Amino acid sequence: MPEGKFCNKKPIDTAEGINELLSDTSGNNYYKEMEKLEIDSDLLWKTIQNTCKSRIRTWLEICAHCGMCAESCFLYQVNGRDPKQVPAYKIQSTLGEIIRKKGKVDNKFMRDTMEVAWAKCTCCNRCGTYCPHGIDTGIMFGYLRGLLYQQGFVPWELKIGAGMHRVYRAQMDVTDEDFVDTFEWMVEEYEDDYPGLTVPVDVEGADIMYTVNAREVKHYPEDLAEAAILFHIAGENWTVPSKGWEQTSLAMFAGDWAACKMQVETVYEAMERLKPVRMVGTECGHAHRATVIEGPYWAGRKNGQPPAESIHYVEWLAEALNTGKLKIDPHKRIKEPVTLQDSCNYIRNHGLKKATRDIMKHIVEPGYFIEMSPNKEHNYCCGGGGGFNGIGLFRKQRNIALITKRDQILATGAKLVLAPCHNCWDAIRDLEEEYEIGIRWSFLKPIVIKMLEIPEHLQPEE
Amino acid sequence: MGFDMFKKILFATSATAASDHAARVAFNIAKSYQSNLNIFHVMGVPTRGYSQVVVDVKTKEEVSVDEDYIAWVTEEIKTYYEKYLDESLKYSIDVAVGLPAREILRQAKTMKPDLILLGGTTGDEDETVYKKSLAGSTLQKVAKAANCPVLVVNRPAASFWGGLSNIVFGTDFSKTSDKAFDFAIKVAKALDCELSVFHALDITPLHTGKMLSQDEIEQQIRESLRKIRARYESRLKELKGYSMDVWEGIPFIEIVKYARDKHADLLIMAHHSRKVPSGDIRLGGNVEQVIVRAGCPVISINK
Amino acid sequence: MKKKILVIDDDLNIRDYLVSLFNDNGYDACLAGDVKEGLKVAKKNKPDLITLDIEMPGEWGPRLYRQLSQDPQLKNIPVIVISGLSGHQYAVVKAVASLSKPFDRDELLKIVKETLT
């Protein structure tokens, strides 16, 4: 049986297809079928010839096997320093092997490679900053995932996730109507507390076009209200697009390049339609990477930039605090030891460490902010990045991966962890569930709202 | 009798022992007033981000949610409440995935119930790890945001509900209290109940800024009684029986004591989302304290 | 003179069992099947003790207790709750005891004896 009913090379393009795959509990049949899935070696080799450009080929060749990357990898550290967890080994034994064999690899090899690509690398790119040659294994794993996806060797949840983007242009089954409805519902719920609170939909020429993570709409809609409240109090001229509001990309985690392009183009179309001065994305790391850093290349934009200047939520927040658009009541600042999780995707990979430190200065009483060690661009992955969090098959490996972050947090002594990234937030929540170290965790929005000085004219009557 | 104030009831339950007391009241009300009872269970939030896996609040186990599982849970709920589910009861069962408070509100948004009925804070759904994520309790969030009255049964003592004849309405003379009064008098009239209007005079130094003299206290009691008369008495006269009282002390304790003294079957109060000093939004103040302590069901009214 | 016990329960079997149990043990038992009847019998017979079920058709046991406590002649009659409901021990705050169905007859008799001497 080359192509399975559930597990095959075909991307999912319909809601029925998603439901069918979802009905296969935990992907049990999916993974069984995967054991029989045939490899289209010709297609694989042709794809490599067309897409594996000189950068990756050079990287694979010039790697001196010096081992500098080993210690940089938290998965190497936390898995008993197993040589098989050395980044250079991990990529050479997978992508390197596929290329050396010109795509003629067998089913078992592909399944092992899938595990390496999704359970032994979170694409945190930390090794890249320590390699004397500047070789970035994370980038190469991103590429390898694309090859695996093409051949149907992709974890069940990510196949579904990529399908969601294809069908709904969102990582979950949230329609455009759901998004607008939920946002309006949330604003209604809070308008008594914040008179004049609205959600301006599809306003052209606004200063800010706000984009979100579909999970907020589906499970944590307070986040939408909080975003609205903060823009409202800051006096921003903002809007949300009724289409193109989803900033995330599970397609990126899955290696579904075509879906990556579809997804990000929806957001870019919204920018072109509404012509905002800037786009602000929510507190999400990979969404920023997908839409702001990598997206322009997927969409074939020559200048490597999105159609409108696009910034991360922490950049907007830092700016609003620095310029006094938002004012913090100094009495309400955090007065307990607190630490901050640096998200790989916008700190290491987009240099936004100053923005988050600025925010900490405003919201934490001096002396109470404790940096993790290491931190900023040297910080470790939360343990659940790159799709790791969501994959049932690799749950055990993921739980081991959380140990690094757990110990970093414990070393700070802080009981409160600020995590302005959905993936990090999840991983930290899960590590508390798994290891019970007695911490609390939060995004920035709810924390900041509680300590704002609200201008008189925006306060409720009575 | 054409009592139609509880036509549609949304009963949010964990379908475990933690919800038993609330269930007793829910099924009793539904049967007494021929309500449509929607039994609503929120399984939990997906762990692992976008995955399909949730930690089931009933079993504490990680489960993969799909149609089969939802059908199974629905069946489990039916079995759990088997003894109540006879032909005289109009009911439906819905199961959702998410944060309990949010999903209850979402269900209320589409269903537009006349009443939301919740178990207390001791329910084990609050013992999960989500409690720590600075989120606040289910009860508090639902009471704050719901567009309809929210009835809470917290203590087992509040669940031996055998009908309505004595209602206590606690007022603080706010606008929301007036709305709560409208509701209280409607219920009292429709069900021919006695209604006791009560105000608790807060004499804690924290509130008054100083220790009040007995003369001052009694002066304030007289003033409050005058206020109650002026505000409510004309409409109370439509009822078969009513009383008006003001006691001094720690407000939530006094209300609970008063309700016990009156053998109240139901306590009705306004929920104040705004008047609470922002430093202490943890328990919205009085109403939540009353809910936690009361020996009868409490209805909180927000809008 | 024999002490009088009023049994209030809507379950016929339990009611009959309790009545014969009390009669066999030297008490004078009478019965009622619901709250309304219970109050009537209590007023007429002035029992020395009442056993009270909680969940009954119409009004529930605790509501009878309320009515008793508002009547100066009846308010000091001791009440023993006998119920199958979970958490029944919270139903009547001032009950002298609260027993779960099925109950232990010796335990019940012991409590009755202690209460009535």
Side-chain angles (χ1 to χ4, degrees), chain B residues 1-11 23 25-40 78 81-94 111 113-115:
Chain B
M1 171 177 43
F3 182 71
D4 61 353
M5 292 182 71
F6 301 150
K7 265 189 298 200
K8 279 192 283 182
I9 299 176
L10 167 55
F11 168 43
V25 175
F27 289 107
N28 199 316
I29 293 184
K31 282 187 184 168
S32 307
Y33 306 119
Q34 287 87 47
S35 320
N36 274 305
L37 187 69
N38 181 238
I39 304 167
F40 184 62
K78 243 187 204 162
Y81 291 130
E82 204 171 8
K83 64 172 173 175
Y84 296 113
L85 301 179
D86 55 44
E87 272 151 34
S88 67
L89 182 76
K90 290 179 277 181
Y91 73 95
S92 54
I93 300 177
D94 286 313
M111 182 188 151
D114 302 302
L115 187 73

Side-chain angles (χ1 to χ4, degrees), chain A residues 52-284:
Chain A
C52 188
K53 303 276 167 64
S54 52
R55 179 171 70 160
I56 290 183
R57 285 172 187 273
T58 309
W59 276 348
L60 285 169
E61 267 169 41
I62 63 169
C63 171
H65 306 277
C66 68
M68 293 281 278
C69 56
E71 282 297 331
S72 75
C73 178
F74 78 105
L75 288 167
Y76 170 80
Q77 293 183 24
V78 89
N79 282 291
R81 298 196 151 68
D82 179 355
K84 288 191 167 162
Q85 285 279 6
V86 176
Y89 176 84
K90 287 188 272 198
I91 198 66
Q92 287 291 347
S93 62
T94 52
L95 179 61
E97 197 66 7
I98 294 175
I99 293 174
R100 276 189 288 278
K101 290 192 167 159
K102 297 192 168 31
K104 295 201 164 31
V105 289
D106 63 17
N107 177 288
K108 172 85 171 55
F109 175 89
M110 288 296 266
R111 279 185 286 124
D112 292 346
T113 296
M114 178 177 91
E115 177 167 354
V116 180
W118 276 284
K120 295 187 176 176
C121 179
T122 64
C123 301
C124 78
N125 308 79
R126 191 169 190 269
C127 53
T129 59
Y130 289 85
C131 173
H133 291 306
I135 300 171
D136 193 328
T137 313
I139 299 274
M140 288 195 279
F141 268 111
Y143 175 71
L144 174 62
R145 288 176 177 196
L147 301 178
L148 288 164
Y149 181 86
Q150 178 201 61
Q151 297 291 323
F153 291 86
V154 55
W156 178 69
E157 290 87 347
L158 292 178
K159 179 96 181 202
I160 295 168
M164 292 282 187
H165 285 289
R166 285 168 174 267
V167 177
Y168 296 101
R169 293 296 184 277
Q171 61 160 280
M172 292 173 153
D173 52 348
V174 177
T175 63
D176 293 343
E177 291 73 39
D178 290 341
F179 168 69
V180 174
D181 276 3
T182 308
F183 218 136
E184 284 173 348
W185 173 36
M186 280 302 102
V187 163
E188 249 166 59
E189 214 171 79
Y190 284 86
E191 68 191 353
D192 283 353
D193 299 347
Y194 301 93
L197 189 69
T198 54
V199 49
V201 180
D202 285 336
V203 175
E204 280 181 39
D207 291 334
I208 290 171
M209 180 183 101
Y210 182 57
T211 56
V212 309
N213 179 329
R215 282 180 69 202
E216 294 164 0
V217 187
K218 183 112 180 168
H219 293 307
Y220 308 98
E222 266 84 359
D223 202 285
L224 305 178
E226 287 158 2
I229 290 166
L230 286 162
F231 286 143
H232 173 66
I233 292 174
E236 294 285 14
N237 167 19
W238 67 291
T239 189
V240 290
S242 61
K243 192 175 174 51
W245 46 268
E246 162 71 296
Q247 202 198 3
T248 73
S249 183
L250 296 188
M252 176 173 79
F253 290 161
D256 183 350
W257 298 333
C260 285
K261 185 167 185 286
M262 290 176 205
Q263 178 62 48
V264 81
E265 280 177 343
T266 327
V267 183
Y268 294 169
E269 277 160 25
M271 292 185 197
E272 272 156 357
R273 183 163 52 91
L274 299 180
K275 301 183 183 57
V277 179
R278 291 193 295 185
M279 190 272 280
V280 176
T282 188
E283 294 178 64
C284 185

Side-chain angles (χ1 to χ4, degrees), chain A residues 205-392:
Chain A
D207 291 334
I208 290 171
M209 180 183 101
Y210 182 57
T211 56
V212 309
N213 179 329
R215 282 180 69 202
E216 294 164 0
V217 187
K218 183 112 180 168
H219 293 307
Y220 308 98
E222 266 84 359
D223 202 285
L224 305 178
E226 287 158 2
I229 290 166
L230 286 162
F231 286 143
H232 173 66
I233 292 174
E236 294 285 14
N237 167 19
W238 67 291
T239 189
V240 290
S242 61
K243 192 175 174 51
W245 46 268
E246 162 71 296
Q247 202 198 3
T248 73
S249 183
L250 296 188
M252 176 173 79
F253 290 161
D256 183 350
W257 298 333
C260 285
K261 185 167 185 286
M262 290 176 205
Q263 178 62 48
V264 81
E265 280 177 343
T266 327
V267 183
Y268 294 169
E269 277 160 25
M271 292 185 197
E272 272 156 357
R273 183 163 52 91
L274 299 180
K275 301 183 183 57
V277 179
R278 291 193 295 185
M279 190 272 280
V280 176
T282 188
E283 294 178 64
C284 185
H286 93 273
H288 184 77
R289 180 168 175 166
T291 308
V292 184
I293 308 173
E294 300 209 20
Y297 299 99
W298 300 336
R301 296 185 61 84
K302 293 272 180 297
N303 64 355
Q305 299 293 327
E309 185 191 350
S310 297
I311 61 173
H312 192 272
Y313 199 80
V314 297
E315 293 180 274
W316 175 77
L317 185 58
E319 179 191 287
L321 290 166
N322 288 339
T323 57
K325 278 184 181 172
L326 291 176
K327 285 200 186 67
I328 299 291
D329 177 346
H331 300 292
K332 293 183 183 162
R333 288 197 292 218
I334 298 172
K335 287 186 201 60
E336 64 167 308
V338 56
T339 190
L340 168 74
Q341 164 63 5
D342 288 303
S343 160
C344 307
N345 279 326
Y346 63 89
I347 302 291
R348 177 157 43 252
N349 290 325
H350 210 199
L352 302 186
K353 62 189 174 188
K354 182 174 179 296
T356 41
R357 266 70 198 172
D358 279 1
I359 295 168
M360 295 308 275
K361 263 184 224 147
H362 286 283
I363 67 173
V364 182
E365 187 81 1
Y368 287 96
F369 171 46
I370 304 158
E371 288 274 14
M372 289 185 197
S373 171
N375 56 54
K376 300 174 188 142
E377 61 270 39
H378 297 288
N379 192 22
Y380 289 114
C381 169
C382 57
F388 209 0
N389 267 341
I391 304 170

